[in-house]
Amino acid sequence: MGGGLRKQYRLLGDLPVVSRTLTIFEKEPAVGSVVLVVPPGEEDYCRNELVGPAGCRKVVAVVAGGEHRQDSVWAGLQCLPGPPDIVVVHDAVRPLVNPETVKEAINAAVSYGAVVVGVPAKDTVKTVNALGMVVETLPRDRLYLAQTPQVFSFDIIFEAHREARVEGFYGSDDAVLVERRGLPVRMVHGGYDNIKITTPEDFMVAAALTGENTLLRVGHGYDVHRLVADRPLVLGGMTIPWEKGLDGHSDADVLCHALMDALLGAAGAGDIGRHFPPTDEAFRGISSLTLLAEVRKILETRGLGVVNADTVILAEKPQLAPYTGQMAANLAAVLGLSDSRINVKATTTEGLGYTGRAEGIAAYAVALLHRTSAGSEVSGRER
Ligand code: MG
């Protein structure tokens, strides 16, 4: 893939490619256990960073592969518990396989013993000689391009692999090892979108197919705090001189809270209460700007950056307009943004409702996030 992470560890949307593939098999009821075969020395990384976070409980082993694809499959076959009746061999870099295709291939293997998923060739296929001259044009109506999964009775594929090893035969897929023994192999229709991600261009296609190249995410936040005596009024990280302040566990910065909820919402990361529970004494009296800095870290971990956020404070009094510019600057500074990316407005509610009676102050926020370039890679895994 040219620099950076190995392609199978890169994020496709919220999940690394391998994790995405694993979740398909995690959800398929017919699959009992999964063995993940990875490059030697990367077993721990894959176990900790790919299997664990994706919640793939069916993975019973992460084992080192061999020099060739066929050696790796052989290594995986050794580690299957059982042995099982049926084995599904799948390229970890085909995360877009349709779960229905997996199901269909497994069912077909029960009947036929050996199944390969593939798609009809759309282009005309010609063979050429060593001089680059066309030797033959193959009849296209019977040409299929083999993909994975390839699904077999365990006994059939194990014996086919064992025999190939003894004879020193290397095939470009697993089915050919069965074919050369004269055994029938059933073709099951796959999808043209079941691509193997091997080049940067493939990655772009995969992102487009999954909609994961949608770069923008929007979130909404809302918060209210009660106005009480003997509390400072903190809004947007500023202490505003007034006779009352907002009540709350932290500094009760209602504007900052609404913004944090909008950011967490856009990230698909829950809400403020989940990350900073009011039952936690660590957050008593804390500056909400400190919590906003934590939200920034959550976004960065997920490869997300802030495009902009717009906010509005609902307060009958005091008059907030003189302070909104500084509030925006405070919030932007914590998020590492220029001031223009965060907008703070204030309005009264014309004397109506609890805000109008000055019983409390409310705030709304809308935030727009984009996927940052750093987010296309899992941090700390440079190649
Ligand atoms: Mg709050």
Side-chain angles (χ1 to χ4, degrees):
M1 293 283 280
L5 284 171
R6 280 186 191 271
K7 60 186 177 290
Q8 59 267 40
Y9 305 145
R10 290 196 180 185
L11 289 178
L12 182 58
D14 293 338
L15 279 178
V17 169
V18 171
S19 306
R20 221 178 157 100
T21 305
L22 287 172
T23 58
I24 293 166
F25 293 92
E26 187 73 18
K27 288 177 186 163
E28 169 50 52
V31 172
S33 47
V34 174
V35 172
L36 183 62
V37 187
V38 303
E42 301 185 1
E43 299 92 322
D44 284 346
Y45 173 81
C46 292
R47 201 176 286 118
N48 298 331
E49 303 296 326
L50 304 182
V51 176
C56 300
R57 297 197 187 84
K58 289 182 182 174
V59 175
V60 293
V62 179
V63 299
E67 188 182 348
H68 302 285
R69 182 186 185 286
Q70 193 171 314
D71 301 323
S72 298
V73 174
W74 177 247
L77 290 173
Q78 313 300 308
C79 298
L80 287 169
D85 297 329
I86 299 284
V87 179
V88 181
V89 181
H90 188 65
D91 297 326
V93 290
R94 290 187 192 267
L96 303 185
V97 64
N98 187 332
E100 290 303 314
T101 303
V102 175
K103 198 182 289 288
E104 191 185 340
I106 292 171
N107 288 338
V110 173
S111 305
Y112 295 96
V115 166
V116 54
V117 166
V119 287
K122 288 197 260 190
D123 296 326
T124 297
V125 179
K126 298 176 187 289
T127 59
V128 295
N129 64 17
L131 301 173
M133 302 303 288
V134 172
V135 175
E136 188 186 5
T137 298
L138 302 174
R140 194 177 62 183
D141 56 347
R142 290 173 64 186
L143 285 178
Y144 271 72
L145 307 178
Q147 304 175 333
T148 69
Q150 301 192 358
V151 190
F152 310 92
S153 292
F154 178 82
D155 294 342
I156 289 176
I157 194 62
F158 191 88
E159 189 52 28
H161 266 272
R162 196 195 59 76
E163 193 176 275
R165 287 183 76 78
V166 168
E167 295 169 9
F169 176 85
Y170 277 92
S172 55
D173 70 353
D174 297 283
V176 69
L177 307 185
V178 175
E179 293 158 29
R180 66 192 287 272
R181 301 184 73 212
L183 296 171
V185 178
R186 174 74 169 182
M187 177 64 71
V188 164
H189 269 271
Y192 290 101
D193 53 356
N194 181 19
I195 60 169
K196 190 174 182 177
I197 302 177
T198 51
T199 66
E201 292 74 26
D202 296 336
F203 218 93
M204 290 165 69
V205 172
L209 287 169
T210 55
E212 296 293 4
N213 64 342
T214 305
L215 292 175
L216 301 177
R217 301 179 61 110
V218 70
H220 175 240
Y222 170 64
D223 195 23
V224 182
H225 281 262
R226 187 183 293 274
L227 276 166
V228 295
D230 303 323
R231 286 269 299 184
L233 176 60
V234 181
L235 288 171
M238 289 185 80
T239 302
I240 292 158
W242 201 47
E243 64 203 40
K244 289 183 174 178
L246 293 171
D247 196 18
H249 182 69
S250 64
D251 63 1
D253 187 335
V254 68
L255 169 63
C256 194
H257 293 182
L259 176 62
M260 288 160 69
D261 257 355
L263 295 170
L264 290 169
D271 65 11
I272 217 176
R274 183 173 120 196
H275 293 278
F276 315 107
T279 50
D280 190 332
E281 280 305 308
F283 303 127
R284 179 171 294 282
I286 197 169
S287 166
S288 296
L289 292 184
T290 306
L291 304 181
L292 181 62
E294 291 300 313
V295 170
R296 176 183 176 178
K297 284 184 203 160
I298 292 168
L299 301 186
E300 285 170 352
T301 305
R302 292 172 180 243
L304 296 168
V306 179
V307 177
N308 76 308
D310 186 25
T311 65
V312 58
I313 307 167
L314 281 59
E316 201 63 27
K317 45 189 169 180
Q319 168 71 263
L320 294 175
Y323 306 109
T324 52
Q326 185 60 49
M327 292 180 200
N330 292 349
L331 298 170
V334 172
L335 293 170
L337 302 169
S338 61
D339 296 1
S340 66
R341 305 279 201 103
I342 305 290
N343 193 63
V344 177
K345 310 184 294 296
T347 183
T348 71
T349 54
E350 300 283 343
L352 299 171
Y354 60 86
T355 52
R357 293 188 296 272
E359 294 167 6
I361 293 180
Y364 291 99
V366 173
L368 193 65
L369 305 183
H370 67 109
R371 195 163 284 290
T372 60
S373 54
S376 64
E377 300 189 355
V378 177
S379 59
R381 188 67 184 184
E382 296 304 314
R383 286 272 148 194

